[in-house]
Each structure stands twice: as C-alpha cells, then as structure tokens.
Amino acid sequence: MQALLHLFHYDFVQNAYLAGTIVALVAAVMGYFVVLRAQAFASEAMSDIGLAGAAGAALLGVGSLLGMFCLTILAALGMGALGERLRGRDVEIGMILSFALGLGALFLIIYSQTGTNAAVGINVLFGSIVSVTRGDVLITLYTGLATLLCIALLFRPLLFASIDPEVAQTRGVPVRLLSMLFLVLLAIATAEAILVVGALLVLALLIAPAATALSLTRRPLTSLLLSIALGLVIIWGGLTLALVGPGRHLPVGFFIATLATLFYLVSLPLKRLRSSRHIVTQPRPCKHPCNEYSSMAGRGH
Amino acid sequence: MFDLLQYAFIQNALLAGALVAVVAAIMGYFLIARGLTFAAHALPNIGFAGAAGAVLLGLDPVFGLFAFTIGAGLGIGLLGKKAGERDTLIGVLMTFALGLGLLFLTLYSGYSELVYNILFGQILSITPQDVLITALASLLTLLAVLALFRPLLFSSFDPEVAQARGLPVQLLALVFLTLLAITVSLAVQVVGALLVFTLLVGPAATASRLASSPFRAIALASVLGVSYTLLGIYLAALTLTWPVSFFIAAIAFGVYLPVRLLSPLWSDRHKRHTLQPALEPSGATQNDLSAQEAQPVEHLTHSSR
C-alpha cells in the first residue's frame, strides 16, 4: 500500500490509472450491450481492424488514432450494411476482418522495411498503458464522454432492441438503424481503448465484466452497474499487481486478462445455478416442429 | 512467368499451400454452417500463445500449438453450448490465451521475430520435409472428416433434428472442434496464424453463397481455396516484398464481395426451392431435395472405405 501511494507521485502511474479507469468504464457500458447483442466477435474484429488502421497510419505518418477511427468506422458501416441475420453476420464480420488483417500485414511489412522499427505492431497489439501521456488521457476522456452521452441518449430503445429485436421492430423501434449506430459507437470506443490498453485488452475489458455481471443478475440497471464495478476492479487490480508486489516485472496485460478470465469462469457455474431455478420458456422458432420430425423420421436410413 | 516455378522454394510453397487450402476449405464449410467463425479466428491466436509457451520451456513450438488449440477446442465444445454465449466464451478464452502469450513473450527474450513468424507464417521458406508432413497430416484430417461426413453435415445444419434422431450431437461438436484445432495447428506452421483464418472462412463463405448442395459447395470451396493460394503465392513471389497473406486475403475478399452483393438476385429463386417446402405441411418436395443431396454424399462415404 505504501509502495503504491509512493508510486502515485509519478506522472506515468497517474496517467495509467486515469486512462485505465476511463477506458474500463466506457468498455463496461459498451460491453454490456455487446454481450446482450451477442456481438463478441464483432468487437474482437473491431479491435483487430483498429490494429490495421494504426499500422496504416504509421505508414502514412499520421496519428494512429486517426487511422484507427477511419478503418474501424468503415468496418462498422460495412458490418451493419452486409449482415442482416445473426448467423449470416458472423461470416460478413469474418470476411471484413480477414481482409483488414491482410491489409494490416501489408502495412506492417512495408513499414518495417521503410521505417525504423517493427515494434509498432506489437505495441498496438499488447498496448503500453504505462506509457500513456497526459494528452492521451484527455483524448480518452473526451471520446469516452461523447460515447457515454450517445449511449445515454439511446439507452432505452437500444436496450429494448438488444434484448428482443423482433418485438422492438414490431413496436416501431428502428432496430436496423440502432444496430448501425451501436456498431459505430463500438468502433469509436474500441479505437480509443486500443490507444490506451492495446488491442488484446480491449476485448477483455469489453466482454468479461459484462458477461460476468449478466450471468449473476439479469436486471438491466443492476447488471450494468455490476459490470462497471467489475471493469474497474479488473483494471485497478491488474495495474496494481503489475506495479507493486511480486509480479512487478510482468506485463499489465497478463494480469488484466487473467483477472477478467477468473471472474468470468467463476460466474459460469453460478449462472447454471440461477438458470436452473428460473425456467424460461421461449417461443420456438420453427413453425411446424412436429411435421418436420415426422417427415424426417419417415425417410429412414 | 514460368521462370519462378523452377525454384524449389516456390514449388514447396505451392504444394504445401494447396494442401492446407483444401483441408481449410472443407473444414471451413462445416465451420460456417455451425456458426463457428469466431472460433476460426480465435484458435490460431490461442495456438500462437501455446507456441510461445513451448519456446519458453525449450520445447518444439508444435507441442504448444497442439496443446493449446486442442485444449481450447474442447473447452469451447464443453462449455459453449448456446450460440450467443459461445462467442463470449471464445472471446474470454482468447484474451486469456493472448495474456498468457504476452507473459511468455516477456519472459522469453527473443521477442519480435518469433511473433512475426507465427503470425505471418513462413510459406516461402518451407522444406520438402515440411511438405511431406503437411501432406500426411492433411490426408489424416480429410479421412476423419469423410468418415464422419453424413452425421457431421446433419448435425451442423440441423442440430435439433439430429439430436432427436439419436445422433450424438454433443460428441460430434467436440470431435469437430478437435479436428478444427488440429487443422489450425497444421496450417499455422505453413501459412501463419493470420492466413489460416482467411483460408478457413474465405473460400467456404463464397462457395456456400454460390452452390446449393453441400457436396458442390465443398468442391467449389476447395477449388477456390487452392486458386486463391496459388495465385497469392505467385503474386507475392513476383513482387518479392508484399506478403502472401495480403494477396490471399485481398483475393478472397474481392471475390466474396460481389458474390455477396449480387446473391440476393438468385437467392430469392433459391429460397423458393429450399426454404418454402420446409414450411409446407406436405414435406414432399423436401424429401425429393434431400434425396438428391444424399446421393453424392453416399458415393463419397463408400469410396473412402
């Protein structure tokens, strides 16, 4: 504790905690919707696409945030426009991701041949939270606030459309538009988070807190608050473990990913317990289940 | 243009690349049908962490690759039963593996070269021995898929009905994920973690939009996969500096995009043939259709014995 307080005199420690807190907060809120909408793959794709954007920006000599915003927002629009159903969307995301990764590889290789070092890719991938500047903190703060404001404005319809898109659609909620808007917000939040914690940790901070919270309680506001609390515990815990204590020379990313995984894995059996108590009946998607079974059974082998 | 083909390293790259492309295309078809695209992206990354761990312990990276990918495949199969939750689980497992990978890389001093080799592959520096190993392993994987072809197909497209008909759906899912893990581990060594994903998803995604029957889709996916790979390697060898993965990814995307954008034109017609009969109470047309599809499948399983 004494050691930690002493460390807070350093600028880089302050910056890491500040930026980490903002990122974890935004990620927990966005992640709440990501998990509800089952878009873990989309957010993972977004962070890898951000990586390609950062590599492209390095090649062109512009700021990496600009490159990340360009590619992630473009990808968000593409995913929104191409994917209509849940299962179909998976493939569209995959195709966009694979192309972006190819582009990223190209940018990195050209950059490493013309530029000074190839470490830029690894830095963006694994992040460098302890080398965040005060300027980065401010950028994170502004984009974070803007994202949270948008989410607050869209909160009710977005929640409705995320939990039950079909009913929301029939009730006149513009589900398709909301889906597109959410992906764009996710793109902005992801790019901003990559700047601070790296592409690897974005996914940990996005889905682990929210998935844990949602397996413990399904009540909207409670689970959202729980998700934020868990996100903060993960980032503060990870930073503290990496800065003081026995694992001092080990990377922050390792601690954050491990904490996130631990929370999630512990929540899994609790969820089984909870769901066995509340048996939820859902409408079956198939129109004539009996008919299909009998026609299949009649065919024989 | 044929000058390049005289070099042994190009020949080896083309051979190994084509082998990997065929296996990946076939696995990719099932993968897309099962909604496991995210797993196809996560497993190479998880394998990368395993390879880093093996290097740290002084072992051959292959052991780490197989241990981590198969472990993760089984974990996904056992814990992720519902589609929505499965993606979250895959995401968490992948982050954890990458966190471990980061730890291994920090503890191990030879940093970026290893990362680059596993991420981007080294297809242009493959030995004839590598080609032989790849060929044998590909053959074994393909035999396993052929032996399980019918139940795998059935449980991929309609797990609920397959379950009702007494197929061990859960077991098949585990077996499929293990086969996928093996395919990924093999392919990562040849083409790199990045390209494995493209080869798994790209050809199969295009083929399942174009072809109506599973057999035709798989054949088309294999042809597309091999063509992308050969063309990609050739172009990369021609330019010398640009990576193979970029060319293959660009070709795969360039073919997929027009097919995806134009497919509503013929999928309306397609839907009238396949979707509506399933909703009709009589079910007669559906039987006709599945009988047609069953034939080449039957033929395939017999010839494999």
Side-chain angles (χ1 to χ4, degrees):
Chain A
M1 202 61 217
Q2 202 82 49
L4 188 64
L5 284 177
H6 176 69
L7 273 176
F8 267 112
H9 292 303
Y10 292 106
D11 266 354
F12 82 94
V13 178
Q14 289 174 5
N15 289 340
Y17 273 87
L18 277 174
T21 305
I22 302 166
V23 165
L25 206 105
V26 177
V29 174
M30 294 302 288
Y32 176 73
F33 290 100
V34 167
V35 173
L36 277 182
R37 303 168 71 86
Q39 283 180 336
F41 187 30
S43 31
E44 157 60 15
M46 215 70 97
S47 56
D48 278 357
I49 291 165
L51 192 67
L59 189 63
L60 291 175
V62 296
S64 58
L65 198 63
L66 186 68
M68 289 196 278
F69 277 144
C70 287
L71 274 202
T72 51
I73 292 176
L74 203 66
L77 295 176
M79 283 175 199
L82 285 177
E84 63 245 319
R85 292 164 303 129
L86 194 71
R87 183 163 276 202
R89 176 169 278 174
D90 240 28
V91 178
E92 323 295 1
I93 296 170
M95 291 308 295
I96 292 176
L97 173 60
S98 110
F99 181 54
L101 286 175
L103 271 183
L106 177 68
F107 293 155
L108 273 185
I109 283 186
I110 296 181
Y111 183 72
S112 66
Q113 278 161 358
T114 56
T116 43
N117 64 346
V120 62
I122 292 161
N123 272 346
V124 180
L125 183 61
F126 293 127
S128 45
I129 191 166
V130 283
S131 59
V132 170
T133 63
R134 199 39 72 94
D136 293 338
V137 176
L138 284 179
I139 295 173
T140 317
L141 183 65
Y142 295 143
T143 41
L145 278 179
T147 318
L148 286 182
L149 192 68
C150 291
I151 288 287
L153 288 175
L154 294 173
F155 192 82
R156 279 190 69 105
L158 188 61
L159 190 66
F160 192 11
S162 304
I163 292 175
D164 202 333
E166 279 163 31
V167 177
Q169 177 101 58
T170 54
R171 293 283 291 276
V173 177
V175 174
R176 192 81 196 258
L177 181 71
L178 276 173
S179 164
M180 197 80 120
L181 278 177
F182 179 71
L183 281 170
V184 172
L185 284 177
L186 185 62
I188 295 171
T190 311
E192 165 245 323
I194 291 175
L195 191 72
V196 177
V197 294
L200 157 71
L201 288 186
V202 173
L203 194 67
L205 290 175
L206 263 175
I207 57 176
T212 310
L214 280 166
S215 11
L216 295 177
T217 170
R218 210 68 192 177
R219 263 184 235 158
L221 210 61
T222 321
S223 46
L224 183 63
L225 289 176
L226 187 57
S227 165
I228 293 174
L230 284 168
L232 293 178
V233 169
I234 290 171
I235 192 104
W236 289 340
L239 275 171
T240 309
L241 282 173
L243 288 173
V244 291
R248 212 166 320 168
H249 55 287
L250 300 179
V252 188
F254 165 69
F255 288 115
I256 293 180
T258 308
L259 279 178
T261 312
L262 270 180
F263 279 128
Y264 178 70
L265 288 182
V266 167
S267 79
L268 278 184
L270 295 176
K271 179 180 192 173
R272 292 273 149 78
L273 221 69
R274 203 175 58 91
S275 60
S276 64
R277 268 187 285 140
H278 307 267
I279 297 165
V280 192
T281 46
Q282 284 192 334
R284 288 187 56 87
C286 184
K287 265 191 179 170
H288 302 278
C290 313
N291 216 324
E292 216 173 273
Y293 282 120
S294 61
S295 76
M296 290 296 238
R299 222 184 335 140
H301 257 302
Chain B
M1 118 159 224
F2 291 104
D3 293 351
L4 270 175
L5 296 179
Q6 288 166 1
Y7 295 107
F9 79 97
I10 295 283
Q11 290 170 2
N12 290 335
L14 291 175
L15 258 176
L19 285 167
V20 167
V22 171
V23 182
I26 295 172
M27 292 303 282
Y29 179 74
F30 290 104
L31 184 112
I32 287 177
R34 301 177 91 90
L36 280 173
T37 322
F38 191 14
H41 170 68
L43 283 177
N45 285 319
I46 292 170
F48 154 74
V55 169
L56 183 67
L57 291 175
L59 298 169
D60 195 310
V62 180
F63 296 114
L65 257 176
F66 275 98
F68 268 54
T69 51
I70 293 178
L74 291 177
I76 294 167
L78 285 173
L79 292 173
K81 282 166 191 158
K82 274 191 240 160
E85 289 169 23
R86 192 172 55 202
D87 271 8
T88 310
L89 175 78
I90 295 172
V92 175
L93 282 182
M94 191 182 80
T95 356
F96 181 51
L98 284 175
L100 278 181
L102 175 61
L103 176 72
F104 297 152
L105 284 178
T106 316
L107 296 177
Y108 180 73
S109 46
Y111 190 34
S112 52
E113 197 183 332
L114 177 86
V115 186
Y116 275 87
N117 273 348
I118 298 174
L119 282 182
F120 301 128
Q122 46 226 10
I123 193 162
L124 291 179
S125 56
I126 284 171
T127 63
Q129 201 192 351
D130 292 337
V131 177
L132 202 68
I133 295 172
T134 313
L136 277 176
S138 310
L139 201 68
L140 286 177
T141 317
L142 282 186
L143 279 180
V145 173
L146 284 183
L148 294 171
F149 196 85
R150 268 190 76 114
L152 207 53
L153 198 64
F154 195 8
S155 69
S156 301
F157 278 96
D158 207 336
E160 282 172 24
V161 178
Q163 179 107 53
R165 290 282 297 277
L167 276 181
V169 174
Q170 180 72 40
L171 184 68
L172 279 169
L174 280 180
V175 171
F176 179 75
L177 278 162
T178 310
L179 281 176
L180 182 64
I182 294 172
T183 311
V184 165
S185 304
L186 284 173
V188 162
Q189 298 168 59
V190 179
V191 294
L194 228 157
L195 197 46
V196 173
F197 176 59
T198 308
L199 288 179
L200 277 169
V201 176
T206 308
S208 30
R209 286 240 166 225
L210 285 174
S212 49
S213 84
F215 186 66
R216 266 182 245 156
I218 288 175
L220 182 60
S222 313
V223 171
L224 286 177
V226 173
S227 327
Y228 296 170
T229 311
L230 298 188
L231 196 61
I233 293 173
Y234 182 74
L235 287 173
L238 211 60
T239 58
L240 278 174
T241 47
W242 288 24
V244 179
S245 51
F246 166 70
F247 284 111
I248 298 184
I251 298 168
F253 190 69
V255 175
Y256 178 74
L257 198 62
V259 168
R260 169 64 185 82
L261 293 177
L262 295 175
S263 70
L265 296 180
W266 65 79
S267 74
D268 280 346
R269 191 163 47 95
H270 185 70
K271 262 183 203 149
R272 230 170 290 140
H273 281 297
T274 53
L275 267 189
Q276 264 181 346
L279 296 178
E280 265 165 24
S282 80
T285 19
Q286 189 196 5
N287 277 352
D288 283 354
L289 237 153
S290 25
Q292 267 175 18
E293 285 175 8
Q295 224 167 11
V297 174
E298 207 93 69
H299 163 73
L300 230 152
T301 29
H302 280 307
S303 63
S304 75
R305 277 177 204 145

